[in-house]
Amino acid sequence: MTAIYCRLPVQITAAPFFDWPIKMLVCYLTDEPGKIPAIRAALEPRYSVVPRVLGQEPVFAPSGVLMVDADLRQPTCVEQIRHVMADLKTVSERLFVVHRHLHHLMAQAFALGATEVVHNARQAAAKLTQVEAAMRAAETGSEHAPNWITDCGKAFGSMFSAIGQRNAIHLADAETVTAQIVASISQNGLSGWLDNVRKYHEGTFQHCLLVTGIAVAFALDIKFGPQDVKRLGMAATLHDIGKARIPLSILDKPGRLASNEEDIMKQHPLIGYDLLKDIPGISTETLDAVKHHHEYLDGSGYPDALTASEISDLVRLLTISDIFAALIESRPYRVAMPREEAYNILCGMTGKLETSLLKAFRRTALAT
């Protein structure tokens, strides 16, 4: 059977509906690491600056602002920027810093995709103020997400931003997400949760939120105790954290992945495991789930080709929730699959998923 990839378009910034005054994140792309302290001094603490060195580090696309500060006289820089910009076409604000008032450099910046050109950090700060004001104005009068889903988004934003900035992940953020989801589904059921997640989250965190909600609903339906529900919820919350290090061009690719892209995608469980393994308080069960949620009972999964006797019950539950969420989530390039159709696909994965769990999952999958 064709492998099912739960591809999450990962970004470093929170979804745009967040309540202000959440700091606007600025991805600062430069050719010289020595420029970073000055731009941070100019923009922080009002904005959260996430620096990236051109050609050395993966670039994460914010839904707010990408700031490019590189020497456009250098053909190598221009080619590297062109490659990056090809993956960041959906970024609405692309601010280029051109330090010299030369028309051909400004023209080059716009040719590369700039939406605005400034000449120094002070002008950049002024432009960011305008962008922030426009975002606030756009939010005025719009429908706001419920507080619980906003809090979940903020917690995910904190975790993914930490990874993007090479900082430590705080388990408290994952615990916040899990507790909010458990409380919401316990009170309101799964269908309302799924509708709200798809309504208020686009690619960034939608998949992780859906997986956690589905896993929690499944655990509640089969009468797990509170601690076991939390265990499964925490594993689901963190299961795809490794995708923060997978290139956006692969995560957000609408078509089938090439073989080399599949190889890169398959690294995310190990990346997630490595990101989490040294965090104080992380459980061995959570680490096992993060590393092995793409394993199948017949040994055809990855990264360790485990077979039935080697796969824990928690991982088996998470794998079913993960695949189901990938099928029913909304993507820019396809509509969400109906839940009954998604469940039928799971049932067709003979030998890969546990039959008794799939039968029990039917109530969760088709609940109204």
Side-chain angles (χ1 to χ4, degrees), residues 33 93-94 96 104 168 182 198 245 251 256 261 264 289 307 332 343 352 359 362 365:
E93 299 291 340
R94 301 178 296 277
F96 276 58
H104 72 280
V182 171
R198 288 186 292 213
R245 295 277 171 84
L251 292 167
R256 184 183 179 87
E261 293 171 329
I264 294 172
T307 56
Y343 179 69
K352 295 180 181 294
K359 289 180 179 178
R362 187 178 190 278

Side-chain angles (χ1 to χ4, degrees), residues 315-351:
V315 171
R316 297 179 192 211
L317 290 163
L318 178 58
T319 300
I320 290 172
S321 303
D322 184 34
I323 297 171
F324 187 73
L327 294 171
I328 68 168
E329 67 184 275
S330 301
R331 298 285 182 87
Y333 48 85
R334 66 163 170 81
V335 297
M337 182 182 293
R339 287 160 66 179
E340 185 172 0
E341 183 179 344
Y343 179 69
N344 288 337
I345 288 177
L346 289 179
C347 292
M349 297 178 67
T350 306

Side-chain angles (χ1 to χ4, degrees), residues 5-7 58 83 87 240 242-253 257-272 294 302-303:
Y5 294 99
C6 310
R7 287 191 272 141
H83 179 74
D87 289 336
D240 266 350
K243 288 182 179 176
R245 295 277 171 84
I246 301 297
L248 186 66
S249 59
I250 294 175
L251 292 167
D252 205 16
K253 184 176 179 178
L257 296 180
S259 59
N260 64 312
E261 293 171 329
E262 288 185 3
D263 291 340
I264 294 172
M265 175 62 75
K266 287 181 177 180
Q267 295 174 17
H268 80 267
L270 289 174
I271 293 172
H294 282 290
Y302 63 90

Side-chain angles (χ1 to χ4, degrees), residues 177-192:
V177 171
T178 303
Q180 289 279 8
I181 295 175
V182 171
S184 175
I185 291 177
S186 297
Q187 295 171 14
N188 306 310
L190 178 62
S191 291

